[in-house]
Amino acid sequence: MGGVVTGSATGGAGGREVDLGRTGRAPTLRELMREDARAAFERDPSADSVSDVTRFSVGYRIVRDYRIQHWLYERGHRTLALRLAKRTRIRYGADIHPAARIGRRFVIDHGIGVVIGGTAVIGDDCLMYQGTTLGMTGKHGGKRHPTLGSNVMIGAGSIVLGAITVGDGARVGAGSVVVRDVPANVTVVGNPAQVVRTRACPLVGDVVCLTDRTGETWIEEG
């Protein structure tokens, strides 16, 4: 299982390119899993070491299992991949379809209740919390699940539905329901989710633009 991975947030439904990193080649399965473990350690203040993550983190084990299942799925072992995904669902209470395309350094915090559909595409350096769903709205066939850019955070209990796009650097607040595209570098909350904070200012780097539920906008220091 040390072969080159061809399916991490690549081509296909989302049209995203492989992050080749410094080596100029796609990462191997083992390299992806090492990166996932390191990223989980860096995001988890309760972990004392990467070894803690690999031994005790349920979220990391869910991601690790997905990597193996996706590797098999991409190489034509569809039935085996789906059977292993079923075992992960029973063991950890998380359901990631092996066909989903997930980028590098992916972290699931806690992990229980996470659902990611088969046509979902997730960029690099993304973080999802427990109870989150990347689901569909009832459409059958074709692209029917969300596409997340890089550096996206999905808060606990949030639901992102349909073939929509969540832009790079966006954050979805806990318990939100997202049914429309989310711009890059904003925070959305609520049901339906609305923009409440914009973290990027094109002219001044140390301020943020805030927007309340009525649409009124103002500037504060970051």
Side-chain angles (χ1 to χ4, degrees):
M1 294 185 180
V4 172
V5 172
T6 60
S8 66
T10 69
R16 301 184 66 86
E17 297 179 354
V18 178
D19 178 0
L20 298 180
R22 297 179 180 178
T23 63
R25 60 173 176 77
T28 66
L29 177 60
R30 289 190 178 92
E31 287 169 344
L32 281 174
M33 292 192 291
R34 289 192 195 105
E35 289 180 349
D36 293 333
R38 169 60 62 177
F41 169 65
E42 292 174 352
R43 292 179 183 268
D44 187 355
S46 68
D48 290 333
S49 65
V50 174
S51 179
D52 269 6
V53 170
T54 58
R55 289 184 297 169
F56 305 125
S57 171
V58 173
Y60 169 74
R61 288 174 179 262
I62 292 168
V63 175
R64 179 200 63 188
D65 285 3
Y66 157 78
R67 295 291 188 197
I68 295 170
Q69 293 151 16
H70 180 72
W71 189 93
L72 292 167
Y73 192 95
E74 288 286 294
R75 284 154 182 78
H77 305 292
R78 180 178 181 276
T79 299
L80 176 58
L82 292 172
R83 285 179 177 172
L84 291 175
K86 179 181 178 182
R87 187 173 69 176
T88 299
R89 183 165 63 249
I90 294 170
R91 178 176 295 177
Y92 300 120
D95 187 2
I96 304 179
H97 196 286
R101 296 180 179 271
I102 299 178
R104 302 172 74 164
R105 299 172 294 276
F106 179 54
V107 176
I108 297 177
D109 197 353
H110 298 296
I112 305 301
V114 168
V115 176
I116 300 175
T119 64
V121 178
I122 299 176
D124 298 325
D125 302 297
C126 289
L127 170 64
M128 294 178 63
Y129 285 89
Q130 69 274 12
T132 53
T133 297
L134 303 184
M136 67 178 189
T137 57
K139 174 184 176 182
H140 296 282
K143 181 78 166 79
R144 55 194 182 277
H145 298 98
T147 295
L148 308 187
S150 295
N151 297 295
V152 172
M153 188 208 76
I154 309 294
S158 296
I159 301 173
V160 186
L161 296 176
I164 63 175
T165 299
V166 179
D168 293 347
R171 297 180 181 178
V172 177
S176 299
V177 177
V178 184
V179 293
R180 295 180 180 177
D181 289 347
V182 176
N185 300 309
V186 303
T187 298
V188 297
V189 299
N191 180 8
Q194 299 179 14
V195 175
V196 295
R197 180 182 177 99
T198 302
R199 295 189 309 284
C201 179
L203 299 178
V204 184
D206 59 352
V207 301
V208 294
C209 175
L210 303 178
T211 305
D212 64 19
R213 292 182 179 274
T214 68
E216 184 178 354
T217 300
W218 69 97
I219 298 294
E220 290 185 1
E221 292 185 2

